[in-house]
Amino acid sequence: MQTSFTPAQLADPHVAESEKILRKCVHCGFCTATCPTYVTLGNELDSPRGRIYLIKDMLENGRAADRETVLHIDRCLSCLACMTTCPSGVNYMHLVDHARAHIEQTYKRPLPDRFIRALLAFVLPYPSRFRAALKLARFGRPFSGLLEKVAGLRPLSAMLKLAPAAVPPASKMALPGSHAPDGERRGRVAILTGCAQPVLDPGINEATISLLNRLGVEVIVPEGEGCCGALVHHMGREEQALASARKNVDAWTRQIGQGGLDAIIITASGCGTTIKDYGFMLRLDPAYAQKAARVSALAKDVTEYLATLDLPQPAIAPGLTVAYHSACSMQHGQKITRQPKELLTRAGFVVREPREGHLCCGSAGTYNIMQPEISAKLRDRKVKNISATGAALVATGNIGCITQIASAAKLPVVHTVELLDWAYGGAQPRQLQ
Ligand code: SF4
Ligand code: SF4
């Protein structure tokens, strides 16, 4: 695609990066067929190619974001299916991230939208605030039907509906410290405890730590780590996202200095995609660029790391049929497609893959709150495809997908690592008890 940025515009490194990306697009439109919003809404402006044109126009003319551009960029799930499909290697992720930051800086959203975004950015990245909010949601739930009737407040209604009826107690295993391996040490890793996941389902990190310890791996919960920044990054709140990234880079760099790390283990693929991008996000910060690149190189999804270990024979023969849902951040963001299925098969599960596996379930960070109508359509389509497999349960590697699919599916939805931990001698996942 031809571009016409001026040298003055290209002096901005963010614009220069986006210009490089735009020039790679050859308008072929292959990406439209796999874009969930295009498939759902049928509007070219809700396709990757349409959004690329909107972003190009906005950036090239150096203008503030307008209502139409914001509407169609907001509807993008950042699922990155378009990147998997694109034959020209267009890095849509970096382009849309730049567009979102530009929107945040130049566009004044309506008041309810600003309020809900500020609320999400204040609550979600902090486990104690998130836990308190979930407990309060119990009192708000009776009003969710009322809130749904007011267009600007529908996200609040969606939030209340997604909140679980009970909040599990915080896990002691999430406290900073070291979890020593059983027997001889074969490795040393840090684990990202995360923000929303340990509140919604502390059992995921507990299963990860227990399994890795039994396999001879020491697991460190580093002091000072926190939310990866993905939630605010996808809202265009760049400074907040970069502050989270720097905090984590510092926490993990200290651990690298103190005893070395073989990997930084991530159990939510949405976080994994962002942490693997820290090197890019902090490339312009001389104090952090190198450290961030090292952290990104060490970041591994738990299944990616497990696939590098010598695994023993499973302790039980579960024999259950599992529908494996590959989160977009897993398959499109990190290109991890093989390992989770191979690990489950090796552990004794029969793995089935739902049709249209490339399509997002509609969770996408805060998307199911901000865009509840499109999100519900995608969720129902996903659940229908999962049900058609005839599986007894669903396995996936991202807490957002677990919450989204479980809100409509009749089957238990379990994190992949919880099934692996069970098969290799750990506790049976609570959803199966
Ligand atoms: S990230 Fe997903 S929703 Fe957004 S344009 Fe690409 S395929 Fe469509
Ligand atoms: S598939 Fe790639 S090159 Fe083709 S229109 Fe989409 S982004 Fe552009």
Side-chain angles (χ1 to χ4, degrees), residues 105-138:
Q105 284 157 16
T106 63
Y107 182 72
K108 191 160 184 191
R109 293 176 180 276
L111 187 62
D113 202 8
R114 267 184 283 150
F115 167 71
I116 288 159
R117 284 169 175 266
L119 182 70
L120 291 172
F122 179 75
V123 171
L124 287 184
Y126 306 95
S128 52
R129 293 179 197 171
F130 185 44
R131 182 171 287 108
L134 288 181
K135 286 182 179 164
L136 283 175
R138 203 176 30 201

Side-chain angles (χ1 to χ4, degrees), residues 57-260:
D57 187 62
M58 175 174 74
L59 297 179
E60 224 169 37
N61 290 304
R63 61 169 172 77
D66 58 26
R67 209 159 147 243
E68 188 186 39
T69 307
V70 174
L71 175 77
H72 298 292
I73 299 295
D74 280 356
R75 283 184 185 162
C76 170
L77 295 131
S78 275
C79 70
L80 310 181
C82 47
M83 283 181 63
T84 298
T85 313
C86 177
S88 304
V90 172
N91 193 323
Y92 178 83
M93 176 170 85
H94 289 160
L95 187 66
V96 81
D97 286 347
H98 180 199
R100 289 201 161 112
H102 184 81
I103 289 170
E104 186 65 16
Q105 284 157 16
T106 63
Y107 182 72
K108 191 160 184 191
R109 293 176 180 276
L111 187 62
D113 202 8
R114 267 184 283 150
F115 167 71
I116 288 159
R117 284 169 175 266
L119 182 70
L120 291 172
F122 179 75
V123 171
L124 287 184
Y126 306 95
S128 52
R129 293 179 197 171
F130 185 44
R131 182 171 287 108
L134 288 181
K135 286 182 179 164
L136 283 175
R138 203 176 30 201
F139 303 107
R141 206 169 293 117
F143 303 103
S144 68
L146 207 63
L147 292 168
E148 198 167 352
K149 294 200 174 87
V150 187
L153 298 179
R154 268 181 211 140
L156 280 181
S157 166
M159 225 186 296
L160 292 170
K161 283 187 195 155
L162 279 168
V167 188
S171 170
K172 288 201 173 57
M173 288 174 98
L175 296 172
S178 164
H179 297 272
D182 299 352
E184 193 191 339
R185 192 174 90 170
R186 295 164 65 194
R188 183 177 193 265
V189 300
I191 186 169
L192 168 79
T193 48
C195 52
Q197 180 185 281
V199 177
L200 291 167
D201 190 350
I204 296 171
N205 284 337
E206 288 178 350
T208 304
I209 295 170
S210 303
L211 175 60
L212 289 173
N213 281 170
R214 285 199 308 282
L215 294 172
V217 180
E218 180 187 5
V219 182
I220 310 290
V221 178
E223 184 84 51
E225 67 172 23
C227 169
C228 69
L231 290 167
V232 285
H233 185 48
H234 292 151
M235 288 186 204
R237 295 176 172 246
E238 242 1 67
E239 280 317 309
Q240 195 178 344
L242 292 181
S244 295
R246 288 190 186 98
K247 199 165 170 249
N248 286 332
V249 167
D250 283 339
W252 294 325
T253 302
R254 274 195 298 276
Q255 285 303 326
I256 295 168
Q258 281 166 17

